[in-house]
Every structure is written in C-alpha cells, then in structure tokens.
Amino acid sequence: MSSNQPPRTKALPVDGGRTPDARELRAILVTVSIALMAVIASVSGLNVAQTHLAVEWGASQTTVLWIINVYTLALAALLLPLGAIGDRWGRKPMLITGLVVFGAAGVVAGFAPSAAVMIGARVAAGVSAAMIMPITLAVITSTFPEEERGKAIGVWTGVAGGGGILGMFLSALLVDVANWRWLFVLPVALAAVALAMTLKSVPDSRERSTHSFDTIGASVSTIAVIGIVFVLQEGPERGWTDPVLLISLGVGVAAAIAFVAWELHRGDASLLDVRLFRERGLAGGSLTLLVVFGVQAGIAVVLFPFFQAVLGWSGLLSTVAMMPMAIMMMTASGLAPKMAARIGARSTMTVGIALSTLGLALMALFVSVDGGYLSVLVGMLTMGIGMGLSMTPSTEAVTSSLPRAKQGVASALNDVTRELGTALGVAMLGALLANGYHKAIDDEFGSIPHKAADTAREGIANAVEVAPSTGSHAQDLIRAAQQSFVDGWQQAMWAGVAVMGVLLVYVALRGPKGSDPALTDETKTTETIAVR
C-alpha cells in the first residue's frame, strides 16, 4: 500500500469471535448470493413488461421509463453512503433492514393501482437495494479467510454479471404464463428466503471508527451520481442537448469535483480515501469494471432488438438466446480465482479483456440478417468467457485496496462503478446503434411511402409495425430496416472493440500486480466481528 495509509490497529473479534467453518461459510455465500440475485433481477425485470405497463395505466413512454429507471437511479445514488453506514451500524442489521424494506416495496409494486404508486414503490426498492448490494460483497470480504475469499468473490461476480440475464428470462417467462404483476413474486420470494437465512447464518461485523461520519461527502456523492446517471438514462429519450440534461450534467460534474476536493481535505476521516486511486489495484479494477459492465449492458441493448425485430423471436425466446453468454460468464467467474492464483491477477484480467474484445469483433464481423443466431453465437460465448475472467479479479482488486473495516465502502464503490458503467454503455452503444441505423436506412427507402418512411426512421420496431400499411412495399421496408439495424450494430460493436482495446493496453501495462495486502493486514480502525 502507499504511504498514504495511516497507522492501523488489529481487527479484534468480540463475543468469542472465530472464523466460520466450511459449512458456515457455504451458508453465508448462499445467503448473500440469493440477496444479490433479488436486487439484480429487479434491475432488468420490468424491461420485458414495458408495453403491459403502458396499457395498464395509459402511461406515456416517459412514465414507463421512469418506472424502470428510477430503481437504478436510487440504487446507484445511495450505494456509497449506505455502504459506509453499514460499516458503522453493522452489516447484518443493514442487510436485514434492506431485505425487509425491499420485500415490502415489491409487494406494494405488485399490487400498485397507479403509475404514481408504482414509481414510489420502485424508489423504495432502489433505496433498499442500495442497502443490500454493497453489504452482500462486504460480508464476503470481511468474513471469508484469504484462501477462500477469491472463490467466494468469483461466485458473487458470477451472480452479479449473469443474474441480470437470468432475471430477464424468468421475468419474461412469468409475463408469458401469467401477467406482469407476477414479476415481483421472484424478487420478493428471494428477499424472504435471504432474510430467513441472514437471521440464521450471517455474522455481524462493523467498523469502530474514531472519526465522525462524513455527512458532507455522502451528500455530495449522492448529488454527483444522480446528476450523471440521470443524464445517461434520459439522454436517448430527451436528446443530449436538452437544457434539463445539460444542467443535470453540470451539477453532477461539479458535485463530483467537489467530492474529490472534500475527500482530500478530510484525509483519513473521509468517506472514500480518493488517494487510493493512485494504487494499481483500485484504479485498474475500477476502470475494468466500468468498461466491461458498460460493454455488457450495451450488448444487451443491441442483442434484444436483433432477436425480436430482425429474427422475429418472442421476448421469452430472446432471453433464452442470451443464456449461453450468461452461463459462460458465470462459469468463467468461478474459474477466474484459480487462474489468477496461477498466472496472476493482471494476466487473468488481460486474457479476459482480450477475449471480450475478440467476442465483440467476431459479432461485428459475422452478424447478418440471413446468418441469424449462429452469426452472433460464437462472439457471445467468447465475450461471456472474457467478461467472467476479467470481472472476478477486478472486483477483488477493488475490495482488497481498502482495509477490512471499510469493506462496505469498498463494495459500494465496486457497485457504483458497475452501475455507472452500465448506464454509460447503454447510452453510448445505444446512441451509436441508433445513429448507424438512421444513416443506413435513409439510403434504403427508394419507393417506400413518405409517411411510412418517417415512421421507420424512428427504429426497427417502428418499421416492422408500420410495414403492413405499405402494401406491396412491406417486405422491402422490413428487409431495409433489418439490414440497416445490422449496419448500426456493426458500428456500435466496432466502437466497443476500440474502447476495449484501449482498456486491454492499460491493464496489460498498469493492471494490478497481485492481491493487495489491505484485507490481510491490520486495519486503520478497529472492526468487530461476531460469529454466532
């Protein structure tokens, strides 16, 4: 660690504290994985029910997007403050409280009589998710012994990476066999199971700090994240030059700068010691997670319209088509710790990023309307393996860069990075796809009626919907839209390849050299761990 690290005192167990045995560790890992799955499934689940929500309440597209996005906005904004509070209050009480509120919010959402009630329930769910998500990883890093920690983090990253796709599959299945209100049964049931197991299996641990809580830092960080994430979420709908978005961006960037300045001023008493970003582990791990999760989210934006509008598949079948990539990702996440132990964290991350880049390039090279699913399958599988190999050592590099007593903050930083990357990737690759589609389809219209052509310019789904009204031109319009979508796909994928290529060079040269000693050394504040 750098010389910025203050003196440390040993972490002292209380109440006869001891290291959990293998059976207890398995129970802890299963518990936090189930809790994490509840949170992750709720991020993407409502995406498959947008039409149902609009019809149910006569809601506009803007309202529907708020129902979906407000959960992620609340989650991202409060991760860092609530992670820090969990360190001080106790990780088990924070997890229990989060699960109770999360389950209650899910029940309210399932029976919501109006869009306004639904939005309120989603805000409550997002806040409680911000209590749960960082604690799930903090419990692992503060409880598991060093020799088992990497494997446990591998399981956690596999759930975090592949859980969204699995959640979408189960959500689409519920919508097909029942109705959209059943979407909340899954996260509520997972939260209930996780709550029961938490009460029985999860030990409590907390920080004993001599410093007061950094209220200003927590507040400013919340404003910064809200401002930036709001812009990324609303940009595609409102337009990037919308005055509201420009103001939000200015506020977000100013708050981010103020946060860094304040944290440097607070020094050892800061919410997040930003000086640690000088370390290779924290900087390299955070940057890798930002880019990898951004590309993963952007790929989903591209793949689902391809399956549905180009191949004509249902929402359920489209989610099934994504499962091979999720399976590869989760499997590789579990294998990454063994690989890192043999060849090092930096080499493992480099291999993973290289495979992810190759997967993107394969999809860009071979995707075609006539080639169908097989034209993208190899690229999907390759990318899934690459993401799995890069995510686990990156997560471990981030969490191991902060002392054990700050694992709620470390885990929250890890999660904020993922959420920002996701929002950024969706905005960037989505915009590139839309831009490429618009340019390509303008050259394809020919004799298509003017009104239908204007509708088709809005997107491939619009083109498919309006095609029957063009009579004999229907097939020509659909074919033009499909080919234009593929052209836009290739533009977005090549941009992803370029970004991943830059990341590959950076990690190969400046990536973490190995495990940081922060978690195995003494911590700068006293932390208590009670295993009951």
Side-chain angles (χ1 to χ4, degrees), residues 283-361:
S286 297
L287 183 61
T288 299
L289 290 173
L290 181 76
V291 174
V292 169
F293 268 81
V295 170
Q296 179 196 17
I299 290 301
V301 171
V302 174
L303 280 175
F304 276 92
F306 178 75
F307 294 146
Q308 293 181 297
V310 176
L311 303 186
W313 291 358
S314 67
L316 179 59
L317 186 56
S318 297
T319 56
V320 171
M322 291 281 288
M323 291 302 290
M325 184 169 72
I327 292 171
M328 289 295 101
M329 188 190 313
M330 297 175 79
T331 301
S333 294
L335 296 175
K338 295 180 180 179
M339 186 171 176
R342 290 185 178 182
I343 66 174
R346 178 165 56 179
S347 297
T348 303
M349 290 168 63
T350 301
V351 171
I353 295 168
L355 287 174
S356 298
T357 307
L358 175 61
L360 283 172

Side-chain angles (χ1 to χ4, degrees), residues 250-289:
V251 171
V253 172
I257 295 172
F259 175 75
V260 173
W262 175 254
E263 297 304 280
L264 288 172
H265 170 72
R266 288 271 295 187
D268 297 341
S270 61
L271 181 74
L272 172 64
D273 190 349
V274 295
R275 297 171 298 180
L276 291 175
F277 279 97
R278 298 171 183 170
E279 303 290 338
R280 289 190 176 193
L282 189 58
S286 297
L287 183 61
T288 299
L289 290 173

Side-chain angles (χ1 to χ4, degrees), residues 306 310-311 366-376 479 482-483 486:
F306 178 75
V310 176
L311 303 186
F366 297 113
V367 64
S368 68
V369 177
D370 296 328
Y373 184 55
L374 293 179
S375 68
V376 299
R479 182 71 183 184
Q482 291 174 334
Q483 186 56 52
V486 168

Side-chain angles (χ1 to χ4, degrees), residues 70-114:
V70 74
Y71 174 86
T72 307
L73 186 63
L75 168 62
L78 294 173
L79 278 167
L80 197 58
L82 292 178
I85 291 173
D87 281 336
R88 289 170 175 256
W89 181 32
R91 293 169 188 133
K92 183 171 184 175
M94 179 65 87
L95 183 55
I96 291 171
T97 303
L99 289 168
V100 170
V101 176
F102 185 86
V107 172
V108 173
F111 291 99
S114 66

Side-chain angles (χ1 to χ4, degrees), residues 112-144:
S114 66
V117 173
M118 173 63 84
I119 290 175
R122 292 285 286 173
V123 170
V127 172
S128 56
M131 301 171 73
I132 296 169
M133 194 172 183
I135 298 304
T136 58
L137 182 56
V139 166
I140 290 174
T141 55
S142 63
T143 304
F144 277 67

Side-chain angles (χ1 to χ4, degrees), residues 192-270:
V193 172
L195 176 61
M197 295 184 68
T198 297
L199 292 170
K200 179 181 180 181
S201 304
V202 175
D204 191 18
S205 59
R206 69 190 67 199
E207 171 193 2
R208 302 294 188 189
S209 178
T210 58
H211 302 295
S212 61
F213 182 72
D214 186 5
T215 304
I216 294 177
S219 301
V220 175
S221 72
T222 300
I223 294 171
V225 174
I226 289 176
I228 295 171
V229 172
F230 177 77
V231 171
L232 295 174
Q233 288 183 344
E234 294 291 314
E237 182 72 15
R238 292 172 176 260
W240 297 103
T241 58
D242 182 84
V244 173
L245 296 188
L246 293 178
I247 293 172
S248 178
L249 180 61
V251 171
V253 172
I257 295 172
F259 175 75
V260 173
W262 175 254
E263 297 304 280
L264 288 172
H265 170 72
R266 288 271 295 187
D268 297 341
S270 61

